[in-house]
């Protein structure tokens, strides 16, 4: 495709309200169909041999229609964002938009959690399998870190609970720190995950603007607020992981901006956060893919050295304290197959995980992803000629990178089920794809996003 032809293609895919609406609708129907097939096939498999180990495939949830204290606030907030969100996002001064996005995201997440009452907010993190339950074993943090890998495998003395064993020690150390400052227990853990997790929306906005895509950021803002994945942000530590990852990428984007005020210090901070993320979850090593996309969008490698120094500093600190990441990962793979992963069928989850992604990222993100994949070849060809020079191009590359990371995680076989929670750090980066949808349709797509979260939370009792 010649340059002028590609520019016409971009206008058709992004700017022309008359083009692409039918494929958008077909994609949305296809996404819903995928969820339906995953539910029907999964239910059949689970009833036949119980090998999926989820009560309502493909989600880790059970059927339980209900309402709760968060129902009315969630419905009210959804209505406000659907009706006024697009206009407000275009009109607010930038800093107020970022702050409002964070506040609204926290409110949405909290409202959804409270649909299950106080149980939905605090109980999941009070489970004996969760991080706060192991806080007491870190009376001597140094000794706990030195002996951490000795308790990963089932059968070893005092083996760690499922979540602690399945993650590097940075995850549990977060809740140890909260406990040490007087914020111990499931309720404070829930508040932490909601407030910090809600900031991921603000981080994505900051990253998009720093990469020259402010218009796309403003279009994305209401979709980031009504992120269906908030159902799981409000009940699991993975929401916190998503925020750490998002701010790491956002600071990397800020450091790469031509007008960055303190690029080296900002890049170092980005590396520290991205390094910390890798010590929160082994799977977040895949953040390298969107991190490269950030630098490609900015067309500079300037932040790379200080960012790598920051990330390696985190690794060096943990290694000096006695925890070796690679040894932990090797043992986690073995522990993974000591549990339900040994019987969960790869042939089902390798595609049913994508149905979970639809439910967590939303139908609008799925429709936007179609546009991203349509534009991606042209964007890739444009890079050697000096980059895209458009906000749409930035969205295409960032979303494509996040989707690539998901694909690697999916094909690895280390993500068999529960990906509506595990993939949150990547799913939030699919949401800006909705900015490519025709603006006059945004309220409809926002309503579908909100409806997805509300239906999941009111019809199912999610496990997280």
């Amino acid at each position: 495709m010649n340059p002028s032809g590609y520019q016409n293609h971009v206008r058709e895919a992004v700017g022309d309200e008359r083009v692409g609406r039918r494929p958008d609708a077909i994609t949305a129907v296809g996404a819903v169909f995928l969820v339906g097939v995953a539910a029907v096939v999964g239910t059949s498999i689970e009833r036949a041999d119980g090998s999926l180990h989820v009560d309502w495939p493909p989600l880790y949830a059970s059927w339980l229609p209900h309402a709760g204290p968060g129902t009315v606030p969630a419905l009210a907030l959804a209505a406000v964002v659907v009706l006024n969100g697009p206009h407000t996002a275009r009109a607010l001064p930038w800093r107020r938009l970022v702050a409002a996005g964070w506040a609204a995201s926290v409110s949405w997440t909290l409202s959804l959690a409270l649909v299950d009452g106080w149980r939905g907010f605090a109980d999941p993190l009070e489970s004996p399998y969760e991080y706060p339950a192991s806080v007491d074993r870190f009376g001597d943090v140094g000794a706990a870190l030195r002996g951490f890998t000795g308790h990963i495998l089932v059968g070893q003395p005092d083996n760690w609970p499922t979540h602690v064993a399945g993650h590097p020690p940075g995850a549990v150390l977060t809740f140890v720190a909260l406990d040490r400052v007087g914020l111990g227990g499931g309720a404070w853990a829930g508040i932490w995950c909601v407030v910090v997790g809600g900031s991921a929306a603000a981080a994505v906005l900051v990253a998009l603007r720093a990469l020259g895509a402010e218009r796309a950021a403003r279009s994305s803002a209401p979709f980031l607020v009504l992120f269906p994945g908030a159902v799981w942000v409000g009940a699991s530590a993975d929401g916190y992981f998503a925020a750490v990852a998002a701010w790491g990428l956002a600071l990397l984007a800020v450091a790469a901006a031509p007008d960055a005020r303190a690029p080296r210090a900002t890049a170092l901070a980005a590396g520290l956060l991205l390094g910390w993320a890798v010590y929160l979850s082994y799977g977040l090593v895949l953040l390298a893919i969107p991190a490269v996309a950030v630098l490609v969008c900015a067309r500079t490698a300037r932040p790379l050295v200080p960012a790598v120094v920051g990330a390696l500093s985190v690794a060096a600190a943990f290694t000096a304290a006695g925890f070796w990441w690679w040894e932990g990962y090797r043992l986690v793979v073995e522990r993974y197959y000591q549990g339900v992963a040994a019987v969960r069928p790869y042939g089902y989850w390798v595609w049913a995980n994508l149905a979970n992604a639809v439910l967590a990222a939303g139908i609008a993100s799925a429709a936007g992803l179609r546009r991203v994949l349509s534009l991606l070849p042209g964007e890739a060809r444009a890079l050697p000629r000096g980059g895209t020079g458009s906000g749409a191009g930035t969205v295409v590359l960032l979303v494509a990178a996040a989707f690539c990371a998901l694909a690697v995680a999916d094909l690895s076989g280390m993500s068999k089920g529960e990906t509506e929670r595990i993939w949150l750090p990547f799913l939030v980066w699919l949401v800006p794809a909705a900015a490519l949808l025709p603006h006059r349709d945004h309220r409809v797509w926002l309503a579908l996003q909100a409806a997805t979260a509300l239906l999941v939370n009111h019809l199912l009792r999610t496990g997280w």
Side-chain angles (χ1 to χ4, degrees), residues 316-347:
F318 273 98
T319 302
F323 173 77
W324 178 236
W325 191 93
W326 287 105
E327 175 67 6
Y329 177 72
R330 182 186 68 81
L331 292 170
V332 160
V333 173
E334 188 174 344
R335 167 74 181 251
Y336 185 65
Y337 286 101
Q338 288 181 323
V340 297
V343 296
R344 279 180 169 171
Y346 178 84

PDB file of all heavy atoms in Angstrom, residues 316-347:
ATOM      1  N   ALA A 316      19.069  -6.947  41.828  1.00  0.00           N
ATOM      2  CA  ALA A 316      20.267  -7.083  42.657  1.00  0.00           C
ATOM      3  C   ALA A 316      19.911  -7.087  44.138  1.00  0.00           C
ATOM      4  O   ALA A 316      20.495  -7.837  44.932  1.00  0.00           O
ATOM      5  CB  ALA A 316      21.242  -5.945  42.349  1.00  0.00           C
ATOM      6  N   ALA A 317      18.954  -6.239  44.525  1.00  0.00           N
ATOM      7  CA  ALA A 317      18.554  -6.166  45.935  1.00  0.00           C
ATOM      8  C   ALA A 317      17.953  -7.494  46.397  1.00  0.00           C
ATOM      9  O   ALA A 317      18.281  -8.001  47.480  1.00  0.00           O
ATOM     10  CB  ALA A 317      17.560  -5.024  46.138  1.00  0.00           C
ATOM     11  N   PHE A 318      17.060  -8.076  45.587  1.00  0.00           N
ATOM     12  CA  PHE A 318      16.456  -9.350  45.961  1.00  0.00           C
ATOM     13  C   PHE A 318      17.500 -10.472  45.974  1.00  0.00           C
ATOM     14  O   PHE A 318      17.483 -11.344  46.853  1.00  0.00           O
ATOM     15  CB  PHE A 318      15.314  -9.700  45.018  1.00  0.00           C
ATOM     16  CG  PHE A 318      13.991  -9.119  45.425  1.00  0.00           C
ATOM     17  CD1 PHE A 318      13.524  -7.951  44.844  1.00  0.00           C
ATOM     18  CD2 PHE A 318      13.216  -9.727  46.404  1.00  0.00           C
ATOM     19  CE1 PHE A 318      12.309  -7.410  45.223  1.00  0.00           C
ATOM     20  CE2 PHE A 318      11.996  -9.200  46.786  1.00  0.00           C
ATOM     21  CZ  PHE A 318      11.540  -8.030  46.199  1.00  0.00           C
ATOM     22  N   THR A 319      18.400 -10.451  45.001  1.00  0.00           N
ATOM     23  CA  THR A 319      19.431 -11.485  44.947  1.00  0.00           C
ATOM     24  C   THR A 319      20.346 -11.388  46.162  1.00  0.00           C
ATOM     25  O   THR A 319      20.684 -12.409  46.796  1.00  0.00           O
ATOM     26  CB  THR A 319      20.251 -11.351  43.652  1.00  0.00           C
ATOM     27  OG1 THR A 319      19.365 -11.446  42.529  1.00  0.00           O
ATOM     28  CG2 THR A 319      21.282 -12.459  43.560  1.00  0.00           C
ATOM     29  N   ALA A 320      20.728 -10.166  46.523  1.00  0.00           N
ATOM     30  CA  ALA A 320      21.587  -9.977  47.698  1.00  0.00           C
ATOM     31  C   ALA A 320      20.884 -10.421  48.975  1.00  0.00           C
ATOM     32  O   ALA A 320      21.526 -10.891  49.923  1.00  0.00           O
ATOM     33  CB  ALA A 320      21.999  -8.510  47.804  1.00  0.00           C
ATOM     34  N   ALA A 321      19.543 -10.280  48.997  1.00  0.00           N
ATOM     35  CA  ALA A 321      18.775 -10.686  50.175  1.00  0.00           C
ATOM     36  C   ALA A 321      18.582 -12.196  50.245  1.00  0.00           C
ATOM     37  O   ALA A 321      18.070 -12.708  51.250  1.00  0.00           O
ATOM     38  CB  ALA A 321      17.424  -9.985  50.183  1.00  0.00           C
ATOM     39  N   GLY A 322      18.935 -12.913  49.162  1.00  0.00           N
ATOM     40  CA  GLY A 322      18.870 -14.368  49.211  1.00  0.00           C
ATOM     41  C   GLY A 322      17.834 -15.015  48.315  1.00  0.00           C
ATOM     42  O   GLY A 322      17.698 -16.238  48.311  1.00  0.00           O
ATOM     43  N   PHE A 323      17.088 -14.207  47.528  1.00  0.00           N
ATOM     44  CA  PHE A 323      16.093 -14.793  46.622  1.00  0.00           C
ATOM     45  C   PHE A 323      16.603 -14.700  45.192  1.00  0.00           C
ATOM     46  O   PHE A 323      16.869 -13.602  44.698  1.00  0.00           O
ATOM     47  CB  PHE A 323      14.746 -14.087  46.736  1.00  0.00           C
ATOM     48  CG  PHE A 323      13.751 -14.554  45.707  1.00  0.00           C
ATOM     49  CD1 PHE A 323      13.106 -15.773  45.859  1.00  0.00           C
ATOM     50  CD2 PHE A 323      13.479 -13.793  44.571  1.00  0.00           C
ATOM     51  CE1 PHE A 323      12.202 -16.229  44.905  1.00  0.00           C
ATOM     52  CE2 PHE A 323      12.579 -14.237  43.616  1.00  0.00           C
ATOM     53  CZ  PHE A 323      11.937 -15.457  43.783  1.00  0.00           C
ATOM     54  N   TRP A 324      16.709 -15.839  44.528  1.00  0.00           N
ATOM     55  CA  TRP A 324      17.158 -15.911  43.147  1.00  0.00           C
ATOM     56  C   TRP A 324      15.942 -16.148  42.264  1.00  0.00           C
ATOM     57  O   TRP A 324      15.278 -17.173  42.327  1.00  0.00           O
ATOM     58  CB  TRP A 324      18.191 -17.028  42.992  1.00  0.00           C
ATOM     59  CG  TRP A 324      18.722 -17.267  41.614  1.00  0.00           C
ATOM     60  CD1 TRP A 324      18.691 -18.446  40.931  1.00  0.00           C
ATOM     61  CD2 TRP A 324      19.385 -16.327  40.753  1.00  0.00           C
ATOM     62  NE1 TRP A 324      19.290 -18.313  39.700  1.00  0.00           N
ATOM     63  CE2 TRP A 324      19.723 -17.019  39.559  1.00  0.00           C
ATOM     64  CE3 TRP A 324      19.723 -14.980  40.864  1.00  0.00           C
ATOM     65  CZ2 TRP A 324      20.376 -16.402  38.490  1.00  0.00           C
ATOM     66  CZ3 TRP A 324      20.377 -14.366  39.801  1.00  0.00           C
ATOM     67  CH2 TRP A 324      20.697 -15.064  38.643  1.00  0.00           C
ATOM     68  N   TRP A 325      15.621 -15.151  41.396  1.00  0.00           N
ATOM     69  CA  TRP A 325      14.392 -15.156  40.600  1.00  0.00           C
ATOM     70  C   TRP A 325      14.277 -16.416  39.747  1.00  0.00           C
ATOM     71  O   TRP A 325      13.217 -17.048  39.682  1.00  0.00           O
ATOM     72  CB  TRP A 325      14.350 -13.904  39.724  1.00  0.00           C
ATOM     73  CG  TRP A 325      13.045 -13.638  39.038  1.00  0.00           C
ATOM     74  CD1 TRP A 325      12.026 -12.854  39.485  1.00  0.00           C
ATOM     75  CD2 TRP A 325      12.624 -14.142  37.755  1.00  0.00           C
ATOM     76  NE1 TRP A 325      10.993 -12.831  38.577  1.00  0.00           N
ATOM     77  CE2 TRP A 325      11.335 -13.616  37.503  1.00  0.00           C
ATOM     78  CE3 TRP A 325      13.201 -14.980  36.806  1.00  0.00           C
ATOM     79  CZ2 TRP A 325      10.629 -13.899  36.344  1.00  0.00           C
ATOM     80  CZ3 TRP A 325      12.491 -15.272  35.632  1.00  0.00           C
ATOM     81  CH2 TRP A 325      11.222 -14.739  35.423  1.00  0.00           C
ATOM     82  N   TRP A 326      15.349 -16.777  39.057  1.00  0.00           N
ATOM     83  CA  TRP A 326      15.283 -17.923  38.145  1.00  0.00           C
ATOM     84  C   TRP A 326      15.019 -19.229  38.888  1.00  0.00           C
ATOM     85  O   TRP A 326      14.311 -20.104  38.399  1.00  0.00           O
ATOM     86  CB  TRP A 326      16.567 -18.027  37.325  1.00  0.00           C
ATOM     87  CG  TRP A 326      16.661 -16.960  36.283  1.00  0.00           C
ATOM     88  CD1 TRP A 326      17.441 -15.840  36.300  1.00  0.00           C
ATOM     89  CD2 TRP A 326      15.893 -16.894  35.068  1.00  0.00           C
ATOM     90  NE1 TRP A 326      17.221 -15.090  35.169  1.00  0.00           N
ATOM     91  CE2 TRP A 326      16.272 -15.700  34.399  1.00  0.00           C
ATOM     92  CE3 TRP A 326      14.938 -17.712  34.482  1.00  0.00           C
ATOM     93  CZ2 TRP A 326      15.735 -15.329  33.177  1.00  0.00           C
ATOM     94  CZ3 TRP A 326      14.388 -17.338  33.265  1.00  0.00           C
ATOM     95  CH2 TRP A 326      14.786 -16.164  32.622  1.00  0.00           C
ATOM     96  N   GLU A 327      15.596 -19.368  40.067  1.00  0.00           N
ATOM     97  CA  GLU A 327      15.337 -20.559  40.869  1.00  0.00           C
ATOM     98  C   GLU A 327      13.873 -20.593  41.304  1.00  0.00           C
ATOM     99  O   GLU A 327      13.210 -21.638  41.271  1.00  0.00           O
ATOM    100  CB  GLU A 327      16.259 -20.589  42.086  1.00  0.00           C
ATOM    101  CG  GLU A 327      16.000 -21.727  43.066  1.00  0.00           C
ATOM    102  CD  GLU A 327      16.315 -23.103  42.513  1.00  0.00           C
ATOM    103  OE1 GLU A 327      16.852 -23.184  41.381  1.00  0.00           O
ATOM    104  OE2 GLU A 327      16.031 -24.098  43.201  1.00  0.00           O
ATOM    105  N   GLY A 328      13.357 -19.434  41.701  1.00  0.00           N
ATOM    106  CA  GLY A 328      11.956 -19.350  42.077  1.00  0.00           C
ATOM    107  C   GLY A 328      11.050 -19.722  40.921  1.00  0.00           C
ATOM    108  O   GLY A 328      10.078 -20.479  41.085  1.00  0.00           O
ATOM    109  N   TYR A 329      11.365 -19.212  39.724  1.00  0.00           N
ATOM    110  CA  TYR A 329      10.532 -19.511  38.555  1.00  0.00           C
ATOM    111  C   TYR A 329      10.557 -21.005  38.225  1.00  0.00           C
ATOM    112  O   TYR A 329       9.527 -21.606  37.933  1.00  0.00           O
ATOM    113  CB  TYR A 329      11.005 -18.700  37.348  1.00  0.00           C
ATOM    114  CG  TYR A 329      10.232 -19.018  36.095  1.00  0.00           C
ATOM    115  CD1 TYR A 329       8.912 -18.588  35.951  1.00  0.00           C
ATOM    116  CD2 TYR A 329      10.797 -19.779  35.073  1.00  0.00           C
ATOM    117  CE1 TYR A 329       8.186 -18.905  34.807  1.00  0.00           C
ATOM    118  CE2 TYR A 329      10.081 -20.099  33.935  1.00  0.00           C
ATOM    119  CZ  TYR A 329       8.778 -19.650  33.811  1.00  0.00           C
ATOM    120  OH  TYR A 329       8.046 -19.965  32.695  1.00  0.00           O
ATOM    121  N   ARG A 330      11.752 -21.605  38.287  1.00  0.00           N
ATOM    122  CA  ARG A 330      11.857 -23.040  37.996  1.00  0.00           C
ATOM    123  C   ARG A 330      10.978 -23.856  38.947  1.00  0.00           C
ATOM    124  O   ARG A 330      10.254 -24.769  38.529  1.00  0.00           O
ATOM    125  CB  ARG A 330      13.318 -23.483  38.120  1.00  0.00           C
ATOM    126  CG  ARG A 330      13.540 -24.956  37.789  1.00  0.00           C
ATOM    127  CD  ARG A 330      14.968 -25.380  38.077  1.00  0.00           C
ATOM    128  NE  ARG A 330      15.265 -25.375  39.508  1.00  0.00           N
ATOM    129  CZ  ARG A 330      14.939 -26.359  40.333  1.00  0.00           C
ATOM    130  NH1 ARG A 330      14.256 -27.408  39.902  1.00  0.00           N
ATOM    131  NH2 ARG A 330      15.261 -26.285  41.620  1.00  0.00           N
ATOM    132  N   LEU A 331      11.005 -23.505  40.212  1.00  0.00           N
ATOM    133  CA  LEU A 331      10.221 -24.236  41.202  1.00  0.00           C
ATOM    134  C   LEU A 331       8.727 -23.946  41.052  1.00  0.00           C
ATOM    135  O   LEU A 331       7.889 -24.836  41.289  1.00  0.00           O
ATOM    136  CB  LEU A 331      10.692 -23.872  42.611  1.00  0.00           C
ATOM    137  CG  LEU A 331      12.102 -24.370  42.970  1.00  0.00           C
ATOM    138  CD1 LEU A 331      12.565 -23.752  44.280  1.00  0.00           C
ATOM    139  CD2 LEU A 331      12.128 -25.893  43.053  1.00  0.00           C
ATOM    140  N   VAL A 332       8.383 -22.725  40.638  1.00  0.00           N
ATOM    141  CA  VAL A 332       6.972 -22.386  40.444  1.00  0.00           C
ATOM    142  C   VAL A 332       6.380 -23.191  39.296  1.00  0.00           C
ATOM    143  O   VAL A 332       5.217 -23.623  39.362  1.00  0.00           O
ATOM    144  CB  VAL A 332       6.805 -20.877  40.207  1.00  0.00           C
ATOM    145  CG1 VAL A 332       5.482 -20.558  39.533  1.00  0.00           C
ATOM    146  CG2 VAL A 332       6.888 -20.137  41.533  1.00  0.00           C
ATOM    147  N   VAL A 333       7.146 -23.390  38.238  1.00  0.00           N
ATOM    148  CA  VAL A 333       6.655 -24.222  37.137  1.00  0.00           C
ATOM    149  C   VAL A 333       6.353 -25.630  37.651  1.00  0.00           C
ATOM    150  O   VAL A 333       5.320 -26.224  37.322  1.00  0.00           O
ATOM    151  CB  VAL A 333       7.689 -24.271  35.994  1.00  0.00           C
ATOM    152  CG1 VAL A 333       7.252 -25.278  34.928  1.00  0.00           C
ATOM    153  CG2 VAL A 333       7.859 -22.892  35.369  1.00  0.00           C
ATOM    154  N   GLU A 334       7.246 -26.160  38.491  1.00  0.00           N
ATOM    155  CA  GLU A 334       7.017 -27.490  39.065  1.00  0.00           C
ATOM    156  C   GLU A 334       5.801 -27.480  39.987  1.00  0.00           C
ATOM    157  O   GLU A 334       4.969 -28.403  39.950  1.00  0.00           O
ATOM    158  CB  GLU A 334       8.269 -27.939  39.826  1.00  0.00           C
ATOM    159  CG  GLU A 334       8.199 -29.387  40.305  1.00  0.00           C
ATOM    160  CD  GLU A 334       9.501 -29.864  40.925  1.00  0.00           C
ATOM    161  OE1 GLU A 334      10.541 -29.208  40.719  1.00  0.00           O
ATOM    162  OE2 GLU A 334       9.466 -30.890  41.637  1.00  0.00           O
ATOM    163  N   ARG A 335       5.667 -26.439  40.814  1.00  0.00           N
ATOM    164  CA  ARG A 335       4.516 -26.328  41.725  1.00  0.00           C
ATOM    165  C   ARG A 335       3.221 -26.194  40.921  1.00  0.00           C
ATOM    166  O   ARG A 335       2.179 -26.750  41.304  1.00  0.00           O
ATOM    167  CB  ARG A 335       4.712 -25.114  42.645  1.00  0.00           C
ATOM    168  CG  ARG A 335       3.477 -24.671  43.454  1.00  0.00           C
ATOM    169  CD  ARG A 335       3.150 -25.609  44.607  1.00  0.00           C
ATOM    170  NE  ARG A 335       1.970 -25.175  45.329  1.00  0.00           N
ATOM    171  CZ  ARG A 335       1.983 -24.659  46.566  1.00  0.00           C
ATOM    172  NH1 ARG A 335       3.118 -24.522  47.213  1.00  0.00           N
ATOM    173  NH2 ARG A 335       0.859 -24.303  47.155  1.00  0.00           N
ATOM    174  N   TYR A 336       3.286 -25.467  39.814  1.00  0.00           N
ATOM    175  CA  TYR A 336       2.106 -25.261  38.966  1.00  0.00           C
ATOM    176  C   TYR A 336       1.508 -26.597  38.549  1.00  0.00           C
ATOM    177  O   TYR A 336       0.287 -26.791  38.575  1.00  0.00           O
ATOM    178  CB  TYR A 336       2.526 -24.443  37.749  1.00  0.00           C
ATOM    179  CG  TYR A 336       1.411 -24.032  36.818  1.00  0.00           C
ATOM    180  CD1 TYR A 336       0.406 -23.161  37.229  1.00  0.00           C
ATOM    181  CD2 TYR A 336       1.375 -24.499  35.505  1.00  0.00           C
ATOM    182  CE1 TYR A 336      -0.601 -22.763  36.360  1.00  0.00           C
ATOM    183  CE2 TYR A 336       0.374 -24.109  34.630  1.00  0.00           C
ATOM    184  CZ  TYR A 336      -0.613 -23.244  35.063  1.00  0.00           C
ATOM    185  OH  TYR A 336      -1.613 -22.851  34.206  1.00  0.00           O
ATOM    186  N   TYR A 337       2.380 -27.536  38.174  1.00  0.00           N
ATOM    187  CA  TYR A 337       1.895 -28.838  37.718  1.00  0.00           C
ATOM    188  C   TYR A 337       1.713 -29.832  38.856  1.00  0.00           C
ATOM    189  O   TYR A 337       1.334 -30.984  38.629  1.00  0.00           O
ATOM    190  CB  TYR A 337       2.830 -29.390  36.643  1.00  0.00           C
ATOM    191  CG  TYR A 337       2.645 -28.646  35.338  1.00  0.00           C
ATOM    192  CD1 TYR A 337       3.539 -27.647  34.951  1.00  0.00           C
ATOM    193  CD2 TYR A 337       1.552 -28.895  34.528  1.00  0.00           C
ATOM    194  CE1 TYR A 337       3.354 -26.941  33.768  1.00  0.00           C
ATOM    195  CE2 TYR A 337       1.349 -28.198  33.349  1.00  0.00           C
ATOM    196  CZ  TYR A 337       2.252 -27.224  32.977  1.00  0.00           C
ATOM    197  OH  TYR A 337       2.056 -26.517  31.827  1.00  0.00           O
ATOM    198  N   GLN A 338       1.947 -29.389  40.085  1.00  0.00           N
ATOM    199  CA  GLN A 338       1.545 -30.188  41.246  1.00  0.00           C
ATOM    200  C   GLN A 338       0.082 -29.938  41.599  1.00  0.00           C
ATOM    201  O   GLN A 338      -0.493 -30.681  42.393  1.00  0.00           O
ATOM    202  CB  GLN A 338       2.420 -29.843  42.457  1.00  0.00           C
ATOM    203  CG  GLN A 338       3.852 -30.348  42.371  1.00  0.00           C
ATOM    204  CD  GLN A 338       4.661 -29.984  43.605  1.00  0.00           C
ATOM    205  OE1 GLN A 338       4.510 -28.894  44.178  1.00  0.00           O
ATOM    206  NE2 GLN A 338       5.522 -30.892  44.042  1.00  0.00           N
ATOM    207  N   GLY A 339      -0.494 -28.894  41.015  1.00  0.00           N
ATOM    208  CA  GLY A 339      -1.866 -28.521  41.312  1.00  0.00           C
ATOM    209  C   GLY A 339      -2.809 -28.846  40.168  1.00  0.00           C
ATOM    210  O   GLY A 339      -2.565 -29.764  39.373  1.00  0.00           O
ATOM    211  N   VAL A 340      -3.875 -28.042  40.053  1.00  0.00           N
ATOM    212  CA  VAL A 340      -4.916 -28.331  39.067  1.00  0.00           C
ATOM    213  C   VAL A 340      -4.431 -28.172  37.637  1.00  0.00           C
ATOM    214  O   VAL A 340      -5.047 -28.708  36.705  1.00  0.00           O
ATOM    215  CB  VAL A 340      -6.155 -27.440  39.305  1.00  0.00           C
ATOM    216  CG1 VAL A 340      -6.766 -27.736  40.657  1.00  0.00           C
ATOM    217  CG2 VAL A 340      -5.814 -25.959  39.167  1.00  0.00           C
ATOM    218  N   ALA A 341      -3.323 -27.440  37.423  1.00  0.00           N
ATOM    219  CA  ALA A 341      -2.811 -27.278  36.060  1.00  0.00           C
ATOM    220  C   ALA A 341      -2.440 -28.604  35.425  1.00  0.00           C
ATOM    221  O   ALA A 341      -2.422 -28.741  34.199  1.00  0.00           O
ATOM    222  CB  ALA A 341      -1.592 -26.348  36.066  1.00  0.00           C
ATOM    223  N   ALA A 342      -2.145 -29.605  36.254  1.00  0.00           N
ATOM    224  CA  ALA A 342      -1.778 -30.918  35.725  1.00  0.00           C
ATOM    225  C   ALA A 342      -2.938 -31.574  34.991  1.00  0.00           C
ATOM    226  O   ALA A 342      -2.716 -32.418  34.106  1.00  0.00           O
ATOM    227  CB  ALA A 342      -1.297 -31.819  36.861  1.00  0.00           C
ATOM    228  N   VAL A 343      -4.176 -31.222  35.350  1.00  0.00           N
ATOM    229  CA  VAL A 343      -5.336 -31.858  34.718  1.00  0.00           C
ATOM    230  C   VAL A 343      -6.159 -30.881  33.881  1.00  0.00           C
ATOM    231  O   VAL A 343      -6.981 -31.318  33.072  1.00  0.00           O
ATOM    232  CB  VAL A 343      -6.245 -32.524  35.782  1.00  0.00           C
ATOM    233  CG1 VAL A 343      -5.503 -33.648  36.483  1.00  0.00           C
ATOM    234  CG2 VAL A 343      -6.751 -31.514  36.801  1.00  0.00           C
ATOM    235  N   ARG A 344      -5.966 -29.582  34.069  1.00  0.00           N
ATOM    236  CA  ARG A 344      -6.696 -28.625  33.228  1.00  0.00           C
ATOM    237  C   ARG A 344      -6.254 -28.789  31.775  1.00  0.00           C
ATOM    238  O   ARG A 344      -5.069 -28.685  31.473  1.00  0.00           O
ATOM    239  CB  ARG A 344      -6.454 -27.191  33.701  1.00  0.00           C
ATOM    240  CG  ARG A 344      -7.317 -26.784  34.884  1.00  0.00           C
ATOM    241  CD  ARG A 344      -7.041 -25.366  35.323  1.00  0.00           C
ATOM    242  NE  ARG A 344      -8.037 -24.905  36.277  1.00  0.00           N
ATOM    243  CZ  ARG A 344      -7.942 -23.769  36.964  1.00  0.00           C
ATOM    244  NH1 ARG A 344      -6.876 -22.986  36.813  1.00  0.00           N
ATOM    245  NH2 ARG A 344      -8.901 -23.414  37.804  1.00  0.00           N
ATOM    246  N   PRO A 345      -7.183 -29.012  30.852  1.00  0.00           N
ATOM    247  CA  PRO A 345      -6.809 -29.314  29.459  1.00  0.00           C
ATOM    248  C   PRO A 345      -6.351 -28.070  28.694  1.00  0.00           C
ATOM    249  O   PRO A 345      -7.095 -27.102  28.554  1.00  0.00           O
ATOM    250  CB  PRO A 345      -8.095 -29.880  28.862  1.00  0.00           C
ATOM    251  CG  PRO A 345      -9.194 -29.299  29.695  1.00  0.00           C
ATOM    252  CD  PRO A 345      -8.640 -29.142  31.076  1.00  0.00           C
ATOM    253  N   TYR A 346      -5.126 -28.124  28.194  1.00  0.00           N
ATOM    254  CA  TYR A 346      -4.573 -27.030  27.395  1.00  0.00           C
ATOM    255  C   TYR A 346      -5.439 -26.765  26.169  1.00  0.00           C
ATOM    256  O   TYR A 346      -5.645 -25.615  25.780  1.00  0.00           O
ATOM    257  CB  TYR A 346      -3.147 -27.391  26.979  1.00  0.00           C
ATOM    258  CG  TYR A 346      -2.455 -26.363  26.111  1.00  0.00           C
ATOM    259  CD1 TYR A 346      -1.807 -25.270  26.683  1.00  0.00           C
ATOM    260  CD2 TYR A 346      -2.423 -26.497  24.726  1.00  0.00           C
ATOM    261  CE1 TYR A 346      -1.162 -24.332  25.894  1.00  0.00           C
ATOM    262  CE2 TYR A 346      -1.776 -25.566  23.932  1.00  0.00           C
ATOM    263  CZ  TYR A 346      -1.150 -24.487  24.522  1.00  0.00           C
ATOM    264  OH  TYR A 346      -0.512 -23.558  23.736  1.00  0.00           O
ATOM    265  N   GLY A 347      -5.952 -27.829  25.562  1.00  0.00           N
ATOM    266  CA  GLY A 347      -6.749 -27.688  24.352  1.00  0.00           C
ATOM    267  C   GLY A 347      -8.004 -26.858  24.531  1.00  0.00           C
ATOM    268  O   GLY A 347      -8.522 -26.296  23.555  1.00  0.00           O
TER     269      GLY A 347
END
